[in-house]
Amino acid sequence: MTGCAGEGAPVERPPYAMAKADLGMQADSTTFTEFPTAPTDPAPGGLTEGVVLRVQADVAVHQSPGGPVIAKLPAKQLNNPTWVPVIAEQGRWAQVLLPSRPNGATGWVLEDDQVERARTPYVVDVEIDARRLTVRRDGAVIGEWVVGVGAADSPTPRGRTYIMAAIEETVTKFSPIILPLGIHSNTFSTYGGGPGTVALHGWPDPSVFGQASSDGCVRVPDDALRLLAKLPLGTLVHLR
């Protein structure tokens, strides 16, 4: 398959300055890359405070607060601005979900002047076995639909992820908008030459809703897609 600036007490700059100088040696953390040594999401079913970070320039991704640099997070993902959800914080350090393999990969970034801080009130829940998608705003349900999910031999992966990008589809016609998530198929290494990125998207045949028949993506009705496409990038998505 081919959306408040941080404040806080000053922190030591020398270690971070060194990390920035080394960024040219680091691979970008994108949906196309893999970081096997990245910390794993400690609570894949957990909630967050809704805090999301916008990366305005390449920033270092650390193994731990102030620890070794394992990657760099670029300012764009699939030609969309990079927004990632915060799952933990220590002072001005934020642990974020990464868009790279393996699923559940995380890293720590320093909230400096290259990082914008905001909050999204939305959460998307996909109950895979029940084939149901629910959108909540500040805990209140604002939409619920029966959806299509991955087939038995290509299941939708489970875990905590987020809306990484919104892409207007110009090659195929099955969905006007595709919403790639920060999670990948555990069955396929590629979808049509892409990196096997799982997405929320529409489907022209409504008979797929309520069925487990996709290659791992979540197929949603048109009205669900219209709402999902309006949610801020970085919005948390639970695949349960």
Side-chain angles (χ1 to χ4, degrees):
M1 181 195 67
T2 99
C4 325
E7 299 180 356
V11 297
E12 272 193 337
R13 292 297 179 187
Y16 184 66
M18 185 180 300
K20 289 184 74 173
D22 292 339
L23 283 186
M25 304 293 291
Q26 300 295 329
D28 287 347
S29 178
T30 72
T31 192
F32 297 92
T33 53
E34 183 171 2
F35 296 95
T37 62
T40 302
D41 185 354
L47 296 175
T48 73
E49 298 297 320
V51 177
V52 290
L53 300 183
R54 162 75 168 104
V55 176
Q56 298 174 320
D58 289 358
V59 299
V61 179
H62 297 253
Q63 184 85 26
S64 58
V69 179
I70 59 172
K72 62 182 175 184
L73 199 56
K76 287 192 174 182
Q77 303 282 342
L78 300 176
N79 293 319
N80 282 241
T82 296
W83 284 94
V84 287
V86 174
I87 61 172
E89 296 187 83
Q90 291 187 25
R92 291 183 66 194
W93 290 94
Q95 187 178 19
V96 300
L97 296 180
L98 298 178
S100 307
R101 290 182 187 264
N103 291 338
T106 74
W108 291 83
V109 299
L110 181 66
E111 294 189 55
D112 67 356
D113 56 3
Q114 299 297 329
V115 177
E116 177 186 354
R117 182 182 178 95
R119 180 183 179 274
T120 170
Y122 300 99
V123 175
V124 180
D125 281 305
V126 179
E127 299 170 76
I128 295 171
D129 296 335
R131 299 162 196 174
R132 180 184 299 110
L133 181 148
T134 304
V135 180
R136 293 180 173 85
R137 177 175 179 145
D138 290 324
V141 174
I142 62 171
E144 189 172 18
W145 296 269
V146 175
V147 298
V149 298
D153 58 354
S154 55
T156 300
R158 298 176 191 256
R160 181 165 59 170
T161 185
Y162 63 99
I163 299 175
M164 178 179 60
I167 301 173
E168 183 178 355
E169 183 54 70
T170 59
V171 178
T172 60
K173 302 298 183 182
F174 64 82
S175 181
I177 297 290
I178 296 175
L179 303 174
L181 305 178
I183 198 167
H184 297 79
S185 169
N186 289 318
T187 304
F188 299 106
S189 59
T190 181
Y191 290 144
T197 308
V198 169
L200 308 175
H201 60 70
W203 199 255
D205 180 0
S207 68
V208 304
F209 305 132
Q211 304 300 315
S213 59
S214 81
D215 285 340
C217 289
V218 179
R219 297 166 171 173
V220 306
D222 290 346
D223 53 345
L225 185 62
R226 284 192 292 270
L227 174 59
L228 291 165
K230 295 176 182 178
L231 303 186
L233 299 183
T235 293
L236 200 68
V237 177
H238 286 285
L239 302 174
R240 306 184 190 276

